Amino acid sequence: MKTVKVLTRSALAVALVGAVMSFGANAQSTSGAISGSADAGSTIVIESTTGLSRTVVVDANGRYNVGSLPVGSYTVKQVKDGATVGTRNITVAVSSTTDASFDATTLAAIEVVGSRMQPIDVTQVDSRMVITAEQLAKLPIARSADAIAQLAPGVIQGSSDFVNASNGQRLSSFGGASISENAYYINGMNVTDPLKGFGGIELPYGSIEQQEVLTGGYGAAYGRTTGGVISQIGKRGTNEWKFGGQLQWTPEWGKGAPRNTYYSDALPGDVGSKDLYQYREDNVGWSTVQSAYVGGPIIQDKLYVFASVEGARSEDSLVGTKSSSSQISERTFKDPKWYAKVDWNITNDHVMELTAASTEHKFSANNYQYDYGTFRRGDYLGNATATDTKALMWIGKYTGYLTDNLTVSAQYGEQTTDLKSNPDNKYSNLIPVGGSANQNPALNGGVPITNANKLAQLSDPKHQTFGANYRLDVTYHLGDHAITAGIDNQRTEDRNDSTIMAPDAGFYWLYGRKANPMTDISEGEVDAPGKYPGGEGGYFVSKYIQETLASVKVTQRAQYIEDNWQVNDRWLVKLGLRNDQFINYNPEGQAYIKQTKPQWAPRLGFAWDVNGDGTFKVYGNAGRYYLALPTSLAARGAAGSIYTNEYYTYTGIDANGNPTGLTPIDTINGPGVPYSANREYGQSPDPKTVTAKNLKAQSQDEFIVGFDKVFNESWNYGAKLTYRKLNNAIDDTCYIEKFEEVAAAQGIDTTGLRGCYFFNPGDTAVFNLPDGKGGYSELTLTNADLGYPAVKRTYMALDAYIEHPFDGKLWGRVTYTFAHSRGNTEGQVKSDIGQGDISATQDWDYPYLMEYGSGRLPNDRTHQLKAMGMWQINPEWSVSSTLQIMSGTPNSCQGAYGPDETYPAYAGNYYHWCGGKPAKMGDAGETPWIKNLNLNAEYRPSFADGKLAFSVDVLNVFNEQKATRLDPDYSPGTYRQVLSWQAPRSVRLGVTYDF
């Protein structure tokens, strides 16, 4: 037999060709598939580097398909009449089908050894990006799951106000959705933060085998996200023992000095842009990362282990804002991680996997006085509140290939996160001061007066979150149909989530100001400050108290069925149906939200292999997706919380920022008596009265259509259109005056009214009110009664790309996204003012707050250009880069309400009016365009046989430092003041050894 050698690619080449930007089978899966054409009746033998072997017979149509294969490298052989007549070496990517076809007309004479260029995956109907370990080792990006995800089209960095509690890193917005609407997975287990949905547990960076970023269109097997999905697949041991390590150092001398922040001069008469607000040039530091791994066979072809550790440490300085008691914090962050995985091939038909991983994010700091006159550090003041967030997850998974047509997968896992804080409460005798910028300048000399105590609240050291995830999936191949059905259940808990006031006084001072001194602080409930001594300029202060106590849980269950129907050689149709159920419990274990009626989520997708050879695919999908509410909702909404103010005017301010010459301001409860706008006085609400009886879960419909096409041997290109529409949102309304008005008209007793209620904005709501006799009266409020606009959030995008698959030398991809995100709700959070109260934002509290509240949403970036690539110059040298060029995000202007500039809801600039004129959401211009270029160079000396590597990364090469968020508060000195900046340039040096 004549043997013809086909060009053999390196492992990197295979990974890049077969996995990069692969847009598959199931989201959050840990497996992929292999399919292809071959001589009918011949045998296909598939063998992995982890000892797994599968054997199938090619059907009468000359096709074969093997699914539920762990990701990694495989050898695929065609055997005919007992002889191997063809061999392919391929890489299986997560949720993708890799083609391994054999030419039936020539196999008798040719043995093929090596790897093939991967054609377009015509089995995928969704939108995803898969990044491999080889790419992550090359690309110059930040070391976090969200930083990887932001390489995908339509994914942008979220507000600096929201970070992942597990590592302190910035989160992502997918397709215009808020940062809390995403799902995070490790090896198939949902590890999303149970408390607020702010990120999730992540693997050590060097232990990621593949990261799947799903931006839309996934099948019925998965749900609970109206944003996107970040799924990490960890490395596993193989039949060859391997170990290695890496050191990375980001020195202080390689970092650009951050830009200073100045008071804004956006309004006439402002203090001017030359007045310093925060000195940031000293806010620099260094960081290091050390990591090591080992993996290999405990029993050849049977039992494998992989383990890794990572230790990250950074130290920097943070200068506080300019005030009478300015401070500088010398901060230390420690982020240890570990990961371990055991794979047991019990037989070729039965496989067990056990995964465990842990992350920890520790913060500590020493506080010193800071002299803004000399820009020098002063005397030691004490320690900042030290925090320690430690997360641990584990998962056990069984996969059984019971027959050639029947596969069963079952998994169970748990995660716990300890949220500890250790405050240095040495100044508890001092009362903290908030809102110091609102102090009467005639009493503080024009410089806000505060004191050394910055600690307002103490948290329970036993605070912990918990999650349990269990699912069962069964797949059966019946002719042209692959039918999958299963359950997807989850339970999350928030344990010992309590806060109390830290100062000995039991409160802290909160300063405020009314532009019109004769306007009520809270209309009809808190009097105007101008009526009292010292309040003539609209200045007032309050004793502020906020305390919570809760241990609560949420259960989420789902059932699904899906049919992957190969209609013919060119058409694939995916039909799915999912049913989700959500129940939220209060601290007494009683359900206060029960959404157990069928919540049907249909999914439909198709893929058309236009030419029949994998070179041109047209695809599309449509689906509905539901989102459950996290545990944090209960802390104030369904538990006995306290949230009160005692209002006063004042005639002086002492050296510690305490107001003097106090005069109580009258409230509906009486002068000097605690007042709660939301009626939170510590009482536990009746669970039947917390939400609207007809509350519907948040849901979103999505439609995608696109194509992928091979242009020639060197280039592929494609494009897709995406449309997302939010159907329902959940938030709270505090419009109790309207409740009382409508209830009176309906003859309903309002004695048991609470301060705020959860409902679906824009819909008719039905509430239970206690009737005083042990029963309830039903209060129905139409949307016309409440006066709210219909809830709206739409996202429309055109994504286009061109890529150069890796050819042994060069790989690259460029994407452009043109997008619009419009509506009157961002989602569960409110980025423009940094409000992270999940589904309890201020927006829907009163209709006054929603007037002119529709427009461009905070996560709208109209133009997004992203590029990444790598050039293997020779066996020793390679360079790579990433580039992001994006238009700015919209700014809003928020001031007092109406032409007369009143405050009918809350005493603050929260209304879509500015200077007495309407100001629509997002209509106040936008932040500057962002241009961010990162570069990497790597050297692998030949004398070390490619095992040793030296690297240098330069992030933000041109040291672009543009404003990324501006203050919408229409007040002198603050309107359009910069609230967050683009990170300055940094240099990262590394050395790696793999044996």
Side-chain angles (χ1 to χ4, degrees):
M1 175 184 293
K2 181 180 179 181
T3 300
V4 177
K5 301 290 185 179
V6 176
L7 175 63
T8 302
R9 311 283 185 184
S10 67
L12 176 60
V14 175
L16 288 171
V17 172
V20 68
M21 303 301 286
S22 178
F23 285 99
N26 280 326
Q28 304 96 356
S29 170
T30 61
S31 61
I34 297 174
S35 69
S37 60
D39 196 14
S42 62
T43 300
I44 300 297
V45 179
I46 298 172
E47 297 174 338
S48 77
T49 56
T50 59
L52 182 66
S53 177
R54 301 285 294 139
T55 301
V56 296
V57 177
V58 182
D59 66 22
N61 296 319
R63 298 290 301 174
Y64 76 93
N65 181 81
V66 180
S68 300
L69 295 172
V71 301
S73 300
Y74 286 80
T75 298
V76 183
K77 300 177 182 179
Q78 184 179 23
V79 179
K80 191 174 183 181
D81 298 328
T84 299
V85 295
T87 303
R88 304 287 191 206
N89 294 326
I90 64 169
T91 296
V92 171
V94 62
S95 302
S96 299
T97 300
T98 304
D99 181 82
S101 294
F102 300 88
D103 189 343
T105 63
T106 60
L107 285 175
I110 299 176
E111 178 185 2
V112 181
V113 181
S115 306
R116 306 176 64 244
M117 295 292 286
Q118 170 70 9
I120 293 167
D121 185 354
V122 296
T123 68
Q124 291 185 335
V125 303
D126 52 26
S127 300
R128 70 182 64 242
M129 176 188 77
V130 177
I131 294 290
T132 67
E134 291 81 4
Q135 293 167 298
L136 293 177
K138 299 279 187 180
L139 292 174
I141 56 175
R143 296 168 63 95
S144 76
D146 279 276
I148 300 169
Q150 288 157 23
L151 297 172
V155 184
I156 66 170
Q157 190 176 70
S159 168
S160 59
D161 292 291
F162 310 124
V163 297
N164 188 333
S166 296
N167 56 22
Q169 299 299 308
R170 296 272 291 272
L171 300 169
S172 302
S173 167
F174 283 68
S178 66
I179 52 87
S180 65
E181 298 175 42
N182 306 324
Y184 293 73
Y185 286 77
I186 290 179
N187 286 355
M189 176 180 165
N190 191 323
V191 293
T192 309
D193 166 38
L195 187 62
K196 289 190 171 185
F198 285 7
I201 304 175
E202 299 181 7
L203 293 174
Y205 196 78
S207 298
I208 304 171
E209 178 65 29
Q210 295 180 10
Q211 177 167 310
E212 180 184 33
V213 181
L214 193 76
T215 57
Y218 52 86
Y222 297 92
R224 304 183 187 125
T225 167
T226 47
V229 174
I230 297 176
S231 178
Q232 292 186 334
I233 310 301
K235 292 182 177 179
R236 60 177 65 205
T238 67
N239 270 325
E240 180 182 0
W241 278 103
K242 297 181 179 180
F243 63 87
Q246 183 181 59
L247 296 174
Q248 287 192 332
W249 176 41
T250 302
E252 184 173 328
W253 54 257
K255 288 191 172 184
R259 293 181 61 180
N260 297 325
T261 301
Y262 294 86
Y263 283 100
S264 168
D265 57 357
L267 295 180
D270 276 6
V271 292
S273 61
K274 292 183 179 180
D275 292 333
L276 186 62
Y277 174 75
Q278 183 179 20
Y279 183 72
R280 302 177 67 247
E281 292 181 26
D282 284 345
N283 294 353
V284 292
W286 57 267
S287 62
T288 60
V289 180
Q290 306 91 33
S291 59
Y293 72 90
V294 62
I298 299 176
I299 302 175
Q300 200 82 4
D301 291 332
K302 281 288 185 181
L303 190 62
Y304 305 88
V305 65
F306 182 92
S308 67
V309 293
E310 177 182 290
R313 179 188 177 98
S314 65
E315 295 186 6
D316 66 10
S317 300
L318 176 65
V319 178
T321 58
K322 187 177 181 180
S323 73
S324 64
S325 59
S326 298
Q327 297 182 10
I328 182 172
S329 296
E330 304 290 352
R331 309 186 302 177
T332 299
F333 298 90
K334 298 178 182 179
D335 290 88
K337 299 179 181 179
W338 61 262
Y339 163 72
K341 190 171 194 297
V342 176
D343 294 273
W344 180 21
N345 299 333
I346 305 171
T347 69
N348 278 330
D349 296 327
H350 303 277
V351 178
M352 287 289 298
E353 304 173 46
L354 181 62
T355 298
S358 175
T359 65
E360 189 170 6
H361 183 57
K362 301 175 68 175
F363 163 78
S364 61
N366 295 322
N367 293 331
Y368 300 85
Q369 292 178 346
Y370 191 78
D371 187 342
Y372 260 83
T374 61
F375 300 113
R376 292 183 179 276
R377 192 182 80 177
D379 294 337
Y380 173 73
L381 295 174
N383 297 332
T385 299
T387 59
D388 187 355
T389 301
K390 187 175 183 179
L392 172 68
M393 63 81 65
W394 67 267
I395 181 174
K397 181 179 180 180
Y398 162 77
T399 303
Y401 308 98
L402 305 186
T403 70
D404 287 345
N405 295 319
L406 180 62
T407 303
V408 175
S409 174
Q411 69 179 43
Y412 177 81
E414 294 183 357
Q415 67 167 336
T416 56
T417 302
D418 295 313
L419 303 158
K420 296 182 179 179
S421 63
N422 183 24
D424 182 6
N425 204 16
K426 64 189 298 182
Y427 298 105
S428 62
N429 60 308
L430 299 177
I431 303 173
V433 174
S436 59
N438 293 318
Q439 290 175 347
N440 188 339
L443 302 177
N444 64 13
V447 178
I449 302 175
T450 60
N451 59 62
N453 189 8
K454 308 300 180 183
L455 185 65
Q457 292 179 310
L458 295 175
S459 300
D460 191 326
K462 299 187 296 296
H463 187 196
Q464 182 185 78
T465 63
F466 171 83
N469 191 198
Y470 42 104
R471 63 177 300 139
L472 173 69
D473 305 274
V474 180
T475 301
Y476 184 71
H477 290 266
L478 180 64
D480 296 325
H481 300 266
I483 301 171
T484 303
I487 59 172
D488 174 16
N489 295 342
Q490 185 169 313
R491 183 178 85 257
T492 57
E493 299 179 19
D494 181 23
R495 301 167 174 172
N496 305 308
D497 187 356
S498 65
T499 58
I500 61 173
M501 302 306 295
D504 296 340
F507 66 90
Y508 76 85
W509 292 114
L510 182 62
Y511 286 91
R513 179 178 181 254
K514 301 289 290 186
N516 182 345
M518 301 308 295
T519 301
D520 284 356
I521 294 174
S522 181
E523 188 170 346
E525 298 197 335
V526 182
D527 212 351
K531 299 178 181 179
Y532 302 85
E536 295 82 4
Y539 296 97
F540 63 92
V541 71
S542 70
K543 291 181 178 180
Y544 178 88
I545 299 175
Q546 182 178 352
E547 297 185 344
T548 61
L549 175 62
S551 289
V552 298
K553 69 177 180 179
V554 178
T555 60
Q556 305 170 42
R557 292 184 169 85
Q559 308 80 41
Y560 78 94
I561 186 169
E562 185 170 73
D563 180 13
N564 295 318
W565 177 23
Q566 191 70 53
V567 181
N568 54 42
D569 289 345
R570 300 192 180 191
W571 281 90
L572 172 71
V573 175
K574 293 193 175 186
L575 298 167
L577 186 63
R578 179 183 176 91
N579 181 26
D580 283 290
Q581 304 98 47
F582 311 135
I583 303 177
N584 291 59
Y585 296 89
N586 70 6
E588 287 73 38
Q590 301 167 312
Y592 70 95
I593 296 178
K594 193 171 185 180
Q595 297 163 332
T596 55
K597 293 181 179 179
Q599 298 182 130
W600 299 114
R603 313 284 167 82
L604 170 64
F606 75 90
W608 175 29
D609 185 1
V610 179
N611 298 328
D613 57 3
T615 60
F616 183 19
K617 179 184 73 171
V618 176
Y619 66 97
N621 57 72
R624 175 164 292 180
Y625 304 87
Y626 285 92
L627 182 68
L629 290 166
T631 58
S632 66
L633 197 73
R636 286 180 59 190
S641 59
I642 300 174
Y643 187 10
T644 63
N645 288 273
E646 294 178 31
Y647 291 98
Y648 301 87
T649 56
Y650 56 96
T651 58
I653 302 174
D654 69 16
N656 289 318
N658 298 306
T660 60
L662 298 177
T663 301
I665 296 176
D666 196 16
T667 73
I668 57 171
N669 297 329
V673 178
Y675 161 79
S676 175
N678 298 330
R679 305 189 184 188
E680 295 176 63
Y681 297 101
Q683 74 281 16
S684 293
D686 183 335
K688 294 183 179 180
T689 66
V690 171
T691 74
K693 290 181 60 178
N694 57 337
L695 187 74
K696 297 183 287 293
Q698 178 170 321
S699 70
Q700 179 172 270
D701 290 338
E702 180 184 71
F703 306 89
I704 297 175
V705 62
F707 75 91
D708 298 307
K709 196 174 191 306
V710 174
F711 181 68
N712 56 33
E713 292 184 358
S714 300
W715 295 94
N716 299 334
Y717 66 97
K720 69 182 175 76
L721 290 168
T722 301
Y723 176 75
R724 287 178 160 190
K725 179 181 180 297
L726 189 68
N727 300 316
N728 300 307
I730 296 176
D731 214 295
D732 63 341
T733 178
C734 308
Y735 195 16
I736 302 306
E737 300 91 331
K738 181 59 66 174
F739 279 57
E740 293 172 333
E741 175 187 323
V742 176
Q746 297 179 12
I748 297 174
D749 181 14
T750 60
T751 303
L753 266 178
R754 299 180 61 247
C756 299
Y757 292 83
F758 294 103
F759 77 128
N760 296 122
D763 290 348
T764 294
V766 181
F767 300 95
N768 276 334
L769 298 186
D771 61 7
K773 304 174 183 178
Y776 303 93
S777 301
E778 283 193 359
L779 174 64
T780 300
L781 293 171
T782 67
N783 195 48
D785 293 329
L786 292 168
Y788 290 114
V791 70
K792 182 180 180 182
R793 187 182 77 189
T794 60
Y795 174 79
M796 294 178 286
L798 168 64
D799 297 300
Y801 77 91
I802 183 169
E803 69 174 342
H804 185 290
F806 191 71
D807 59 5
K809 286 285 187 181
L810 184 66
W811 159 72
R813 182 178 178 94
V814 179
T815 64
Y816 168 73
T817 300
F818 178 80
H820 281 298
S821 184
R822 299 287 190 271
N824 54 24
T825 179
E826 177 187 355
Q828 293 184 330
V829 302
K830 188 169 171 57
S831 292
D832 55 347
I833 63 170
Q835 186 178 14
D837 299 321
I838 301 297
S839 290
T841 68
Q842 68 175 33
D843 276 349
W844 303 93
D845 288 359
Y846 295 90
Y848 316 102
L849 297 166
M850 293 305 298
E851 287 187 26
Y852 303 103
S854 184
R856 292 183 63 190
L857 293 172
N859 294 318
D860 183 26
R861 288 191 184 271
T862 305
H863 304 281
Q864 304 168 35
L865 178 68
K866 301 181 181 182
M868 54 183 168
M870 192 272 289
W871 177 26
Q872 189 72 47
I873 302 172
N874 56 44
E876 291 187 310
W877 285 94
S878 69
V879 293
S880 62
S881 68
T882 62
L883 172 68
Q884 291 189 350
I885 301 175
M886 295 186 289
S887 58
T889 55
N891 300 321
S892 293
C893 182
Q894 297 181 12
Y897 177 78
D900 297 329
E901 300 189 72
T902 61
Y903 296 90
Y906 296 127
N909 288 337
Y910 306 127
Y911 308 87
H912 296 285
W913 291 78
C914 285
K917 297 179 181 180
K920 290 182 62 177
M921 165 77 78
D923 266 10
E926 63 180 31
T927 57
W929 281 59
I930 287 179
K931 309 173 192 67
N932 198 83
L933 174 66
N934 301 334
L935 296 177
N936 162 273
E938 183 183 86
Y939 171 57
R940 289 186 175 270
S942 57
F943 66 79
D945 196 26
K947 298 175 181 177
L948 178 66
F950 301 93
S951 65
V952 58
D953 297 307
V954 184
L955 308 182
N956 192 1
V957 172
F958 298 113
N959 199 27
E960 291 265 354
Q961 294 189 51
K962 298 295 179 60
T964 57
R965 189 161 82 84
L966 304 180
D967 196 334
D969 187 332
Y970 192 71
S971 296
T974 60
Y975 177 53
R976 296 182 66 84
Q977 180 178 298
V978 178
L979 297 178
S980 63
W981 295 92
Q982 189 178 356
R985 179 180 53 237
S986 62
V987 176
R988 187 170 63 199
L989 307 174
V991 57
T992 304
Y993 185 81
D994 299 284
F995 182 81

